[in-house]
Amino acid sequence: MTRNVPDKPTLDGLETKWDERWEEDGTYRFDRSKTRDEVFSIDTPPPTVSGSLHMGSVFGYVQTDTHARYRRMSGKEVFYPMGWDDNGLPTERRVQNYYGVSCDPSLPYDSEFSAPEAAHDPVISISRRNFIELCHLLTQEDEKVFEELWRTLGLSVDWNHSYATIDEHSQRTSQKMFLRNLARGEAYSQEAPVLWDVDFQTAVAQAELEDREKGGAYHKVAFHKTDGEPIYIETSRPELICSCVALVANPEDERYQSLFGSTVTSPLFDVEVPVVAHELADPEKGTGVAMICTFGDTTDVTWWRELALPTRAVIQRDGRFQTESPEWLSDDAAAVYSELAGLFPNQARRKMAELLAESGDLDGEPEQIMHPVKFYEKGDRPLEIVTSRQWYIRNGARDSGLRTELLEKGEELHWVPGFMSVRYRHWVEGLNGDWLISRQRFFGVGVPLWYPINDSGDVDYDHPVVPDDELLPIDPSSHVPAGYQESQRDQPGGFIGDPDIMDTWATSSLTPQIVGHWDDDADLWNRVFPMDIRPQGPDIIRTWLFATTVRAHLEHGVLPWGTATINGWILDPDRKKMSKSWGNVVTPMPLIEEFGSEAVRYWACNGRPGVDTAVDTGVMKIGRRLAIKILNGARFAIGFTDADIDPSAITQPLDRSMLAGLAETVSQATGAFEDYDYARALEAAERSFWAWTDDYVELVKTRAYGEGPAATSAHAALQLALSVYLRLFAPFLPFVTEEVWSWWREGSVHRAIWPVADEFANIASDPGALEAASKVLGSVRRAKSDAKVSMRAEVGRLKVTGSADEVELIRRGADDLLAAARATDIVYSEGEFSVESELANSSN
RNA sequence: GGGCGGUUAGCUCAGUCUGGCUAGAGCGCUCGCCUCACACGCGAGAGGUCACAGGUUCAAGUCCCGUACCGCCCACCA
């Protein structure tokens, strides 16, 4: 073919040009005629589209793309879908802020309502359905921005296989799997204390908790024995004394033996509570006696459950103390309680401290402390514990058999890097409850159930009404169960729809089933599942990775993938963890515009697997330089002739020696990729390529500009080497390699075959000859540099001293060496390696 | 409180699994060079007691023990 090598090659515009071409040509389209063993399938993480874009979004995805491209070139048919995680709280929160709205489920749907141009201020309330419409509207906009970024970065995903966790197919998959979990008894509902976010008004799961160090104070408070003597406890939550159901001490604690079995009365409220024994009570903490409240913390829940204590809750779901005086309080106590009614816990705490001080039940001043307090990871106020009915999926926390099976799955999974597996193991070993999947929110996949209401108006939660699979997905608040009429909704003798949605992880834990169309396309499913790799961040091992493992284990009895590749954290340029709340988020688009996609990809590929990496424009500059070097090197390598020369024309020693080194590079890069170490593969290719341009190209340049078989040998070797380098770099620098490939090759480099050393093994020889010539050339360059003369300066005769072996190797490339060094001739002697030259005007 | 990862040149990082010439790269810095692929370039140079302390070994950046600091994860908040 005629070559179309530009005079001034540039990186500008390559992203757009090739993104469009790849789309037109279907370069990355999945060919579903391939069988499972021919397919390499990737369970791509669906990014949270309602979050802001930052470099963390780029880092892992680019690394994964290198695997996709390597496997594709290695002959696999790559199944590489892309999804968006758009359901759940992050989207709701973004919609609230973006439009200035809040969801009030009691309002009727307003068909006239349209998205506000600007955020309402003050916030207006809208119906649930209007709110959900806004969620869909905004996530679609967000998804366009993400797709644009992925395309600009050159991710080789098949955009025909994209999904959103809120789309109909995802909802159907999620609901169908939930119903199967229900049918097998793996999903169940239970009325129990749960951790509750008072602002978001929803239950949260163990995996969504985080501890934050908060200031607090130990209050030393007197309860009273029957003889009137005080017994002191220490508490950081004196406001919960009205919720106290018992005092507890360690059964071994000698100080309190006589009290076990007796009762004491609480200060101010004068409620009689037992003193009980439990081994969780720590004699070292406080006075050794703790008060048990329903519920101040998760230990209270444990004590309450294991000691079968009564429930005396006062904190409501809005986080305030209930206004009615609790029925277990006497009239006098109710008068005290009225001081607390309607307050938030921190307000009630101050009030109680005052009251206790007045009554003389507070011993000394409260001691200020810092202690860890449980928060919802997205929340702003401490979690409270309220009792409510919730749905759970078994995860092994209460079933040692299942827990063992899931631990074994973690062992079976191939982790990259390996040390990440301990995070999984520790999480599974530390589980303290089944997976709470229901959320009291609006935008998400609904719990697909209704419950019968008996004639006296009681809801029968134990016998949910289940929809047929064909009807999924359903919204129980608008669909009517079989055998009922809409008029029977919420009526005695009728039904009630489950008002809750499932947590986003309950759906995203099914990404293999969603992308593989487990529920409606068994043919595709069997070609892609179990999937090959699950790439993801280390922070969501306990959530996404674990939950996906649970769902696949329960349904299919297998691991959902063979390998998990865990990327590192992105740190900001000052090596701090990037976080929206710290305001140090670096967004990718300006960097891409400044340095180019290849440069940003290069930076991402320089981060080792699993290693935390700082945003570093210096590294991006190196990547840009490499991409430009490829353009220019290619221009030289294929600029001599339009003909494709058969490799058999490669006869000259340095040409063959170069290929021997290249074969080694190919084998290093291939080995690294097989170990999922893209960074090492890039390093090998890069090191080799720079040596190629710096030494090999300089050594053969003069010969290449000549004529005859020796020149043809160089032309052929340059062509062959370029072809190999383009393919080695293609996974990392997809645009520039494709651009150069298009100058002289048909088709896409990304569908070209990954290089193997066998391609030129029969031509490669004289390993070491190129290295020896380079070493001599290096000495000459140093001499010229020391003499401060041009590299083009003539050096006269070269006197090379070296071992017999070295001399022999140097002799093979002597002609090229003389030309590159601009020397007249060369003489050899044996001894310690050295090079002398006759520099003409060394004074200049 | 438990665990994981890290600490190598001014900066960003390789090298540690599998111990072995004089510890590498790029950036930055210094000094040169417009050499017909590339000045968005090319060549050369300076720069490191490999966090600290002990141990194993003929030999330790690399293996073992401990300490400090940084980051992250987990933990029942009395």
Side-chain angles (χ1 to χ4, degrees):
Chain A
M1 74 182 277
T2 308
R3 290 178 183 175
N4 182 23
V5 183
D7 285 340
K8 275 277 175 190
T10 173
L11 297 177
D12 297 341
L14 293 187
E15 289 94 337
T16 311
K17 171 183 173 182
W18 287 108
D19 174 53
E20 285 171 5
R21 268 294 278 289
W22 293 331
E23 182 63 40
E24 275 170 35
D25 297 349
T27 307
Y28 307 123
R29 205 153 295 160
F30 177 63
D31 173 3
R32 62 175 293 170
S33 71
K34 298 289 202 267
T35 56
R36 182 64 195 86
D37 59 320
E38 298 169 308
V39 167
F40 186 82
S41 48
I42 302 173
D43 186 17
T44 320
T48 304
V49 291
S50 51
S52 65
L53 289 161
H54 62 85
M55 290 304 280
S57 313
V58 167
F59 189 62
Y61 285 90
V62 167
Q63 293 170 353
T64 303
D65 186 56
T66 65
H67 294 311
R69 291 179 179 279
Y70 165 71
R71 299 286 169 172
R72 192 180 290 115
M73 294 175 75
S74 301
K76 292 283 189 181
E77 187 61 26
V78 174
F79 183 65
Y80 189 10
M82 181 59 66
W84 315 115
D85 190 11
D86 45 14
N87 88 39
L89 202 47
T91 296
E92 288 187 24
R93 198 156 55 166
R94 178 157 154 76
V95 164
Q96 285 166 3
N97 295 335
Y98 193 87
Y99 295 116
V101 296
S102 73
C103 177
D104 182 347
S106 68
L107 292 176
Y109 177 63
D110 176 2
S111 61
E112 300 291 301
F113 181 81
S114 63
E117 295 285 324
H120 285 285
D121 185 16
V123 168
I124 61 164
S125 291
I126 60 174
S127 76
R128 177 174 178 148
R129 189 167 151 197
N130 287 121
F131 184 77
I132 287 173
E133 284 176 359
L134 285 183
C135 289
H136 282 293
L137 190 69
L138 190 57
T139 53
Q140 277 167 18
E141 293 303 310
D142 290 340
E143 283 156 23
K144 280 182 202 152
V145 177
F146 263 80
E147 179 170 337
E148 186 60 32
L149 174 64
W150 289 166
R151 285 181 176 279
T152 305
L153 274 172
L155 299 192
S156 61
V157 307
D158 181 351
W159 291 101
N160 292 318
H161 286 270
S162 59
Y163 67 96
T165 54
I166 198 64
D167 70 25
E168 187 171 311
H169 172 241
S170 294
Q171 295 211 27
R172 188 169 65 240
T173 306
S174 181
Q175 292 189 334
K176 184 171 172 178
M177 188 67 91
F178 169 80
L179 292 173
R180 291 178 63 88
N181 291 136
L182 176 65
R184 288 192 298 259
E186 295 149 2
Y188 64 91
S189 75
Q190 188 180 47
E191 176 98 9
V194 292
L195 287 157
W196 185 268
D197 188 290
V198 299
D199 293 311
F200 291 113
Q201 295 273 302
T202 183
V204 301
Q206 184 186 357
E208 297 169 298
L209 304 181
E210 66 182 33
D211 285 354
R212 297 182 198 160
E213 282 289 320
K214 287 287 169 184
Y218 284 150
H219 300 68
K220 192 169 179 185
V221 174
F223 279 58
H224 302 283
K225 303 182 197 171
T226 44
D227 61 8
E229 286 298 304
I231 171 170
Y232 286 98
I233 58 121
E234 278 192 351
T235 178
S236 60
R237 301 202 63 179
E239 74 275 19
L240 289 176
I241 288 172
C242 57
S243 280
C244 181
V245 292
L247 298 190
V248 65
N250 193 285
E252 307 289 314
D253 195 328
E254 304 205 343
R255 293 170 293 179
Y256 302 108
Q257 292 298 324
S258 62
L259 281 172
F260 292 137
S262 73
T263 61
V264 298
T265 56
S266 58
L268 297 175
F269 299 102
D270 206 31
V271 173
E272 188 172 342
V273 296
V275 180
V276 296
H278 194 280
E279 65 275 8
L280 271 183
D282 184 350
E284 303 292 314
K285 280 191 182 173
T287 60
V289 187
M291 101 179 150
I292 304 175
C293 307
T294 53
F295 298 94
D297 62 36
T298 53
T299 317
D300 282 340
V301 177
T302 307
W303 281 325
W304 167 82
R305 186 186 300 122
E306 296 187 6
L307 299 169
L309 297 164
T311 307
R312 290 174 188 157
V314 292
I315 295 177
Q316 307 174 117
R317 296 186 179 191
D318 64 1
R320 293 176 186 274
F321 277 58
Q322 64 184 56
T323 41
E324 296 291 305
S325 182
E327 75 268 7
W328 62 87
L329 295 183
S330 67
D331 289 348
D332 288 348
V336 179
Y337 182 84
S338 68
E339 302 266 349
L340 308 179
L343 298 184
F344 285 112
N346 54 349
Q347 300 167 322
R349 190 170 312 143
R350 286 192 289 272
K351 174 58 71 179
M352 272 303 284
E354 289 170 21
L355 296 173
L356 288 165
E358 284 170 22
S359 71
D361 292 312
L362 183 64
D363 184 53
E365 286 295 305
E367 180 197 350
Q368 299 300 317
I369 51 154
M370 292 297 288
H371 62 166
V373 179
K374 286 205 187 309
F375 281 73
Y376 175 38
E377 60 190 355
K378 299 183 176 70
D380 298 318
R381 281 198 281 179
L383 292 169
E384 294 296 341
I385 295 173
V386 305
T387 297
S388 63
R389 176 164 291 276
Q390 303 288 344
W391 280 96
Y392 298 83
I393 290 179
R394 298 186 195 283
N395 63 7
R398 297 172 176 192
D399 175 344
S400 62
L402 178 57
R403 192 193 295 251
T404 302
E405 288 164 16
L406 289 168
L407 285 169
E408 285 167 0
K409 285 285 182 284
E411 297 295 314
E412 188 186 331
L413 183 61
H414 175 219
W415 294 82
V416 180
F419 65 79
M420 290 291 182
S421 70
V422 301
R423 299 194 183 204
Y424 175 95
R425 191 171 72 243
H426 286 165
W427 176 251
V428 178
E429 286 171 351
L431 286 169
N432 56 29
D434 279 332
W435 177 18
L436 192 166
I437 59 160
S438 45
R439 296 289 182 279
Q440 290 65 54
R441 298 299 307 178
F442 316 110
F443 191 58
V445 180
V447 175
L449 296 172
W450 303 270
Y451 308 99
I453 303 177
N454 68 16
D455 292 338
S456 44
D458 298 323
V459 178
D460 180 3
Y461 289 105
D462 294 329
H463 300 92
V465 180
V466 175
D468 286 339
D469 275 357
E470 300 79 68
L471 299 175
L472 300 177
I474 63 142
D475 171 11
S477 66
S478 59
H479 291 88
V480 177
Y484 290 91
Q485 303 293 322
E486 177 62 35
S487 60
Q488 292 175 279
R489 185 182 293 276
D490 301 339
Q491 300 299 316
F495 70 95
I496 182 173
D498 192 308
D500 291 349
I501 60 171
M502 291 190 266
D503 176 44
T504 189
W505 297 114
T507 300
S508 60
S509 60
L510 299 170
T511 49
Q513 290 84 354
I514 290 168
V515 298
H517 282 258
W518 158 76
D519 70 315
D520 62 356
D521 190 346
D523 177 73
L524 177 65
W525 177 245
N526 290 327
R527 293 173 197 276
V528 301
F529 187 87
M531 302 185 77
D532 288 278
I533 60 169
R534 156 60 74 86
Q536 63 161 74
D539 51 325
I540 51 175
I541 289 173
R542 64 179 180 167
T543 49
W544 194 38
L545 191 147
F546 174 62
T548 311
T549 305
V550 169
R551 302 310 280 288
H553 177 67
L554 293 177
E555 180 65 34
H556 315 293
V558 297
L559 267 180
W561 350 262
T563 297
T565 55
I566 310 294
N567 59 256
W569 271 114
I570 291 307
L571 310 172
D572 78 359
D574 297 325
R575 301 206 56 74
K576 294 210 182 70
K577 180 179 161 183
M578 225 180 262
S579 148
K580 257 181 289 179
S581 56
W582 295 5
N584 62 350
V585 169
V586 178
T587 54
M589 271 305 184
L591 291 170
I592 291 173
E593 280 159 18
E594 183 174 357
F595 299 103
S597 286
E598 311 277 33
V600 174
R601 287 180 64 104
Y602 177 90
W603 161 77
C605 297
N606 255 275
R608 255 57 190 177
V611 173
D612 296 350
T613 302
V615 174
D616 187 345
T617 55
V619 176
M620 294 177 200
K621 285 181 193 164
I622 302 165
R624 182 173 176 82
R625 208 162 71 94
L626 173 62
I628 292 170
K629 194 73 174 179
I630 290 170
L631 287 174
N632 289 310
R635 211 175 141 248
F636 174 80
I638 60 174
F640 294 99
T641 169
D642 278 355
D644 279 350
I645 309 165
D646 191 89
S648 63
I650 300 172
T651 54
Q652 299 297 300
L654 287 194
D655 299 339
R656 289 172 162 245
S657 180
M658 180 272 290
L659 292 174
L662 189 53
E664 176 59 25
T665 300
V666 166
S667 107
Q668 285 172 4
T670 306
F673 258 130
E674 289 295 320
D675 289 340
Y676 294 95
D677 195 341
Y678 51 85
R680 211 181 276 259
L682 172 58
E683 188 186 27
E686 194 184 2
R687 195 188 320 112
S688 171
F689 178 71
W690 282 109
W692 185 73
T693 62
D694 292 348
D695 293 335
Y696 172 75
V697 165
E698 293 303 324
L699 281 162
V700 302
K701 196 176 263 181
T702 307
R703 172 157 56 88
Y705 278 113
E707 287 179 359
T712 304
S713 173
H715 302 162
L718 287 164
Q719 286 183 1
L720 178 53
L722 179 65
S723 163
V724 172
Y725 280 123
L726 290 177
R727 286 176 284 156
L728 287 177
F729 283 122
F732 310 103
L733 311 172
F735 298 104
V736 72
T737 51
E738 185 76 316
E739 172 70 12
V740 172
W741 195 260
S742 76
W743 293 345
W744 63 310
R745 288 286 184 261
E746 298 286 354
S748 170
V749 70
H750 302 297
R751 285 285 179 175
I753 197 77
W754 180 255
V756 288
D758 283 356
E759 281 181 45
F760 42 92
N762 57 330
I763 318 164
S765 65
D766 288 329
L770 176 58
E771 198 183 335
S774 300
K775 196 170 158 189
V776 176
L777 182 60
S779 295
V780 175
R781 283 171 175 162
R782 190 173 309 116
K784 290 180 179 178
S785 202
D786 289 348
K788 300 189 191 300
V789 297
S790 160
M791 289 297 137
R792 224 166 40 156
E794 303 286 343
V795 298
R797 168 169 292 176
L798 282 183
K799 293 179 187 167
V800 174
T801 311
S803 69
D805 288 349
E806 279 174 326
V807 165
E808 175 52 29
L809 283 171
I810 293 164
R811 278 183 197 279
R812 302 210 186 138
D815 291 346
D816 289 338
L817 183 54
L818 287 174
R822 300 196 175 256
T824 50
D825 63 336
I826 185 166
V827 295
Y828 303 96
S829 57
E830 280 202 32
E832 186 84 0
F833 179 82
S834 70
V835 178
E836 283 178 55
S837 58
E838 299 172 341
L839 266 173
N841 286 318
S842 57
S843 59
N844 291 345

